[in-house]
Amino acid sequence: MIRPKWFTKKYIHDLLLDHFSVQGKRILDFGSGTGANCPIFSSERYIGIDPDQRRIAYAKKLYPEYTFYILQSERFPCNDKSLDYILIVAVLHHISSEEIHCYMEEFKRILKPTGTIIVIEPCLFADKPFSNRIMSWFDRGEYIRNETDYLHLFQQHHFDCQVLKRFRKCLYHELFFCARPT
C-alpha cells in the first residue's frame, strides 16, 4: 500500500520540516519502502534501505536519482560517523525488540556524534483504548509499543530521547521523537 502524497506531506514531511533542518544533511531512511520520504531530501545525501526488494525496485523506478538498497544484513552501506539523520517512520512496530537491539550498534556506527535518529511510530496510549484496539486489528505490525517502551529501546543503548509530539492520525495515535547518542 502506498500512502497518498497529501497524507505523507501532512503527517510526515510537514512534521519533520517543522522540527529539523534537512538542507545539506546526510540521511539514512531506515525502512524506506517505496521512497515516499525521499523528496524532502537532497538526492545526493539520501540513502533508503528496506528489506522488501519489490518496494525498493518500485522506489528506484519512482525516484531514479535517489539511492536505495535492499537490507540484506545488519550492516548498512554507510561509512562510519557519516550521517546527520537516521529516519525511522512506521518501521519499529514491525521489528521485535531483539532485532532492534542488533541495529542499535549499527545506528551508532554510522551516525555522526552530533547526529539524530528521528522516529514516528504508531503508539499505544493508556487513555486511548479504542485507538489501541483499532491499531491491533488493522495494523500488520506485531510490536506496537507504548511510549515508555519505544524510548527504552534507545535509552538502553545510550541514546538521549526527546518526545517532540504525540498526535492522532486518523484512528491511530502516533509518537514523534528523536534520539541522540550520549
Side-chain angles (χ1 to χ4, degrees):
M1 181 179 139
I2 298 173
R3 289 182 211 104
K5 287 185 180 186
W6 67 266
F7 191 85
T8 300
K9 181 184 181 319
K10 178 178 179 174
Y11 290 108
I12 300 172
H13 298 174
D14 290 350
L15 199 58
L16 292 172
L17 296 174
D18 283 347
H19 289 84
F20 297 96
S21 171
V22 299
Q23 190 171 18
K25 304 294 185 184
R26 292 200 44 81
I27 182 150
L28 173 74
D29 188 354
F30 180 71
S32 62
T34 61
N37 295 317
C38 73
I40 64 171
F41 303 103
S42 162
S43 61
E44 313 77 51
R45 301 179 152 281
Y46 173 93
I47 298 170
I49 191 166
D50 196 280
D52 187 327
Q53 66 183 27
R54 291 180 313 166
R55 288 177 183 241
I56 291 297
Y58 189 68
K60 286 179 178 182
K61 266 188 200 175
L62 287 178
Y63 306 103
E65 66 278 15
Y66 287 85
T67 302
F68 295 95
Y69 294 102
I70 299 167
L71 177 64
Q72 296 179 328
S73 71
E74 292 167 8
R75 184 146 177 99
F76 302 149
C78 303
N79 293 329
D80 293 358
K81 311 283 184 227
S82 64
L83 298 174
D84 297 292
Y85 296 129
I86 297 172
L87 179 62
I88 305 173
V89 177
V91 173
L92 297 179
H93 72 288
H94 294 284
I95 305 173
S96 72
S97 296
E98 293 75 30
E99 283 182 90
I100 291 170
H101 292 303
C102 295
Y103 294 123
M104 287 294 175
E105 289 305 312
E106 192 64 0
F107 292 158
K108 288 200 287 193
R109 180 186 71 79
I110 63 176
L111 198 61
K112 291 179 179 177
T114 57
T116 303
I117 299 174
I118 304 166
V119 182
I120 303 173
E121 284 290 327
C123 188
L124 300 171
F125 289 102
D127 61 338
K128 307 292 183 194
F130 179 72
S131 291
N132 295 345
R133 188 175 305 265
I134 293 292
M135 283 189 289
S136 297
W137 283 337
F138 292 108
D139 197 292
R140 290 181 296 169
E142 295 179 36
Y143 306 100
I144 300 174
R145 298 165 175 89
N146 63 36
E147 180 177 318
T148 301
D149 291 341
Y150 279 121
L151 300 179
H152 185 70
L153 287 172
F154 291 87
Q155 291 165 339
Q156 66 188 25
H157 290 277
H158 308 288
F159 285 93
D160 283 332
C161 297
Q162 178 185 3
V163 173
L164 301 169
K165 189 171 184 177
R166 298 165 189 92
F167 63 99
R168 185 181 176 119
K169 181 176 75 180
C170 300
L171 296 173
Y172 284 44
H173 280 84
E174 302 267 329
L175 180 65
F176 176 38
F177 70 95
C178 64
R180 294 180 175 95
T182 56

